[in-house]
Amino acid sequence: MIGRNNDENKPQGVVYFFTESHPAFGDWLRDHISRYRLALNPDYRAWDKPVGGSDNASFAKRDIPIIWYHTDGHPDYHLPSDHSDRINWAKTVDITRAAYLNLWNLANLPDY
């Protein structure tokens, strides 16, 4: 859920959940925002076992570190009234860039 704005007054807002025992995940995003000028203003939420209601729960429950982007719920969340004309495309692109860069960092760690 990265396309819609929860708060139209904060079009760059994104929630960034990541496994607390891996603070590098937060450092990576801070670096990527600065280095690549990503138009994101994250709410960093390091969490011991970030399960929530998403697909990452099965990994977190098994102590597999996760990174999870979310833009919080909105009045049309999971409803037929959630139309594509309300998507913040620029933010969706920058979140996708950030996720790619996170994966690149992770894939290039010498030991994980």
Side-chain angles (χ1 to χ4, degrees):
M1 202 334 254
I2 61 169
R4 286 279 303 270
N5 294 328
N6 176 34
D7 182 346
E8 293 300 330
N9 295 318
K10 298 178 182 177
Q12 297 176 341
V14 59
V15 179
Y16 182 65
F17 295 99
F18 59 96
T19 305
E20 188 172 35
S21 61
H22 289 69
F25 293 174
D27 297 338
W28 291 346
L29 182 58
R30 286 178 186 87
D31 176 59
H32 297 150
I33 288 170
S34 175
R35 183 184 308 186
Y36 300 104
R37 297 184 192 118
L38 302 178
L40 299 174
N41 185 15
D43 175 359
Y44 294 90
R45 296 185 191 175
W47 196 358
D48 181 35
K49 287 191 185 243
V51 290
S54 196
D55 297 339
N56 60 288
S58 58
F59 296 99
K61 287 178 182 177
R62 289 169 179 78
D63 293 319
I64 298 170
I66 65 96
I67 294 171
W68 175 23
Y69 292 89
H70 201 279
T71 54
D72 278 340
H74 51 75
D76 299 307
Y77 190 62
H78 287 177
L79 295 174
S81 56
D82 193 6
H83 298 286
S84 62
D85 62 326
R86 297 180 180 141
I87 292 175
N88 179 335
W89 292 105
K91 178 166 62 174
T92 301
V93 168
D94 276 352
I95 290 172
T96 303
R97 287 177 175 147
Y100 170 84
L101 292 164
N102 286 150
L103 290 171
W104 181 261
N105 286 352
L106 189 59
N108 287 286
L109 286 176
D111 188 27
Y112 184 76

